[in-house]
Amino acid sequence: MNLKDRWDNLDHATQKWLLDNPGCQVLPRTITSVISKECGEDLAIGQHGQALVSREDQDFIRSKMVNAHP
């Protein structure tokens, strides 16, 4: 999905959800839908409207958590 390139396009509520759920491996369809709308593109989604979160994206989210709370 590459959240790093999309991060600045996400609203605060979506960023907060991601930061509150850093180990999430599959985004719920509601969050997937919001990210798709905010970024203006369809994400690759599974059968139930969910998107996979790569290890790279999880690491990026964790790095944002560290930077937000020095």
Side-chain angles (χ1 to χ4, degrees):
M1 176 180 345
N2 198 346
L3 286 173
K4 183 177 181 178
D5 292 341
R6 294 177 171 97
W7 189 257
D8 292 333
N9 295 330
L10 303 178
D11 69 16
H12 178 72
T14 305
Q15 290 176 349
K16 182 174 178 350
W17 189 94
L18 291 166
L19 293 172
D20 288 346
N21 298 278
C24 183
Q25 295 179 344
V26 179
L27 294 177
R29 67 177 171 212
T30 52
I31 298 298
T32 301
S33 177
V34 168
I35 293 173
S36 291
K37 285 181 185 177
E38 291 174 352
C39 294
E41 59 185 278
D42 289 329
L43 298 176
I45 56 174
Q47 175 180 352
H48 301 288
Q50 302 163 316
L52 295 177
V53 180
S54 69
R55 180 71 175 161
E56 188 175 87
D57 284 334
Q58 290 174 345
D59 291 343
F60 170 74
I61 292 167
R62 287 186 181 103
S63 76
K64 296 299 278 185
M65 292 172 59
V66 170
N67 292 332
H69 305 289

